[in-house]
Amino acid sequence: MSAVSAAASAHAARFPARRLGVLVSGRGSNLQALIDAIASGHLEASIALVISNVAGAGGLDRARSAGIETAVVDHRGWPSRDDYDRALGDELRSRDVELVCLAGFMRRIGAPLIQAFPGAIVNIHPSLLPSFPGLHAQRQALAHGVKVSGVTVHLVTADLDDGPIILQRTVPVLDGDTEESLAARILVEEHQAYPEAVQRVLDGGWTVDGRRFVTL
Ligand code: GRF
């Protein structure tokens, strides 16, 4: 076996059971896209646990409807952000989660969780990063006057919306767009992009070279 294929195998072996943990704070349409892609055979994985920091999050209902275990880990009431991150990591590890998927999870991810899942946390963001990180990405895109926007799926690092890019898809920004119409157009692409990117990560055969997510 060559050094390159040995490295590729090593990566694939990182996710042998292909068990996902999904973190949501809201309606959970990207969670639903993952559930649907698994059900239709487009994503070879299982979702071991869905966690929300918000008890009433719609994503929890979607998970329950699909027979997926859920947990609410409220971010309030922990002595520090690190303690909260450790609690999330404990929940995920106790269900043998291998890859963590952030799907509209509205909390910053800190060092304890990143160290518990090194190179194994992914996020979806509704802009072409590095443009328009943070909140209200679609509003930022309209305000700036860009003609193209889209979706980015990336590995999570300690910096907000900044990790190596796994996949991007573009959509046009139209003259008559509102924040809502642009968000809806991007969301259609998000629901395609997220399962595809997760499959890509689980399959292995990639590495991170500097900032770049590259195929081996
Ligand atoms: C999506 O636009 C996602 O890109 C962003 O938050 C939104 C979550 O939507 N991170 P949903 O809860 O998946 O419907």
Side-chain angles (χ1 to χ4, degrees), residues 85-166:
D85 271 33
R86 272 190 281 274
L88 291 176
D90 289 347
E91 290 281 350
L92 293 161
R93 282 289 178 214
S94 72
R95 270 57 160 223
D96 297 322
V97 164
E98 295 172 336
L99 180 68
V100 180
C101 303
L102 308 182
F105 187 62
M106 304 303 285
R107 307 293 307 170
R108 287 285 291 268
I109 299 298
L113 193 54
I114 291 170
Q115 283 158 14
F117 290 90
I121 308 176
V122 295
N123 181 43
I124 185 160
H125 183 77
S127 75
L128 296 176
L129 292 172
S131 293
F132 316 130
L135 293 175
H136 308 302
Q138 303 94 335
R139 190 186 303 172
Q140 293 183 57
L142 281 179
H144 196 91
V146 294
K147 301 300 184 194
V148 177
S149 190
V151 52
T152 303
V153 183
H154 64 95
L155 293 174
V156 171
T157 61
D159 296 315
L160 181 66
D161 298 331
D162 190 55
I165 292 170
I166 301 161

Side-chain angles (χ1 to χ4, degrees), residues 51-53 73-76 78-89 105 107-108:
I51 299 180
S52 182
N53 62 318
V73 187
D74 194 325
H75 55 279
R76 294 167 298 190
W78 297 89
S80 71
R81 214 179 80 179
D82 279 2
D83 287 302
Y84 179 63
D85 271 33
R86 272 190 281 274
L88 291 176
F105 187 62
R107 307 293 307 170
R108 287 285 291 268

